[in-house]
Amino acid sequence: MDLTGEERIAASRDTVWKALNDPEILRACIPGCESLEKISDTELEAIVGVKIGPVKARFNGKVQLTNLNPPSSYTISGEGKGGVAGFAKGGADVTLIEEGSETVLAYVVNADVGGKIAQLGSRLIASTSKKLATQFFENFNAAVSGT
């Protein structure tokens, strides 16, 4: 499943780029994120708790940053295991476009789940994924622009 969107952020592209690479800001913006540790310049480890319908899961996983083109774009991808709940994997292609004193953050998110969570149905998974992605980018916008 793919989700696309954009956020207009009242900050320079360099400021937005730095925030996209700051584990503390990302941890605060990711819904359900319990921890996010930087392993290297392109790898992080995360623990995220989510609820999809009646299933509550805690995912442990790794996040990779690839296709780095500072300060214009990158791809962030990850995979997490949620025990009996199953697994989740996905990523986002993020592009930053400077427009005056603002930055437009455009994204294409893809997500895939398996195991018990996959049995919940594609509509519920799609709506929850969209909600979580929207919430992250809104949180990120507020954190970076100070609104």
Side-chain angles (χ1 to χ4, degrees):
M1 113 190 63
D2 288 339
L3 309 166
T4 60
E6 63 180 40
E7 282 287 322
R8 183 171 293 277
I9 301 171
S12 72
R13 183 168 66 172
D14 286 335
T15 299
V16 175
W17 178 261
K18 286 176 187 162
L20 278 174
N21 289 278
D22 183 327
E24 290 302 312
I25 290 176
L26 293 175
R27 184 184 53 73
C29 296
I30 297 169
C33 188
E34 297 172 18
S35 72
L36 185 67
E37 304 286 329
K38 186 174 184 176
I39 305 303
S40 72
D41 286 344
T42 59
E43 186 177 33
L44 303 125
E45 285 185 343
I47 299 174
V48 178
V50 294
K51 186 172 188 291
I52 301 176
V55 178
K56 196 171 188 179
R58 191 169 185 237
F59 292 92
N60 294 300
K62 292 196 184 293
V63 177
Q64 297 279 336
L65 304 178
T66 57
N67 302 323
L68 294 162
N69 183 18
S72 300
S73 62
Y74 74 11
T75 299
I76 184 167
S77 56
E79 183 169 349
K81 294 179 182 10
V84 296
F87 72 89
K89 62 182 177 179
D93 290 316
V94 178
T95 304
L96 303 178
I97 303 152
E98 201 159 38
E99 289 188 1
S101 62
E102 297 182 325
T103 301
V104 175
L105 184 157
Y107 58 89
V108 177
V109 175
N110 62 67
D112 187 25
V113 296
K116 189 175 181 182
I117 288 178
Q119 297 170 2
L120 294 174
S122 60
R123 281 192 189 149
L124 178 59
I125 293 167
S127 68
T128 302
S129 297
K130 183 175 182 176
K131 178 182 164 194
L132 293 172
T134 299
Q135 190 176 354
F136 166 78
F137 287 109
E138 287 174 354
N139 292 348
F140 183 80
N141 190 341
V144 177
S145 65
T147 57

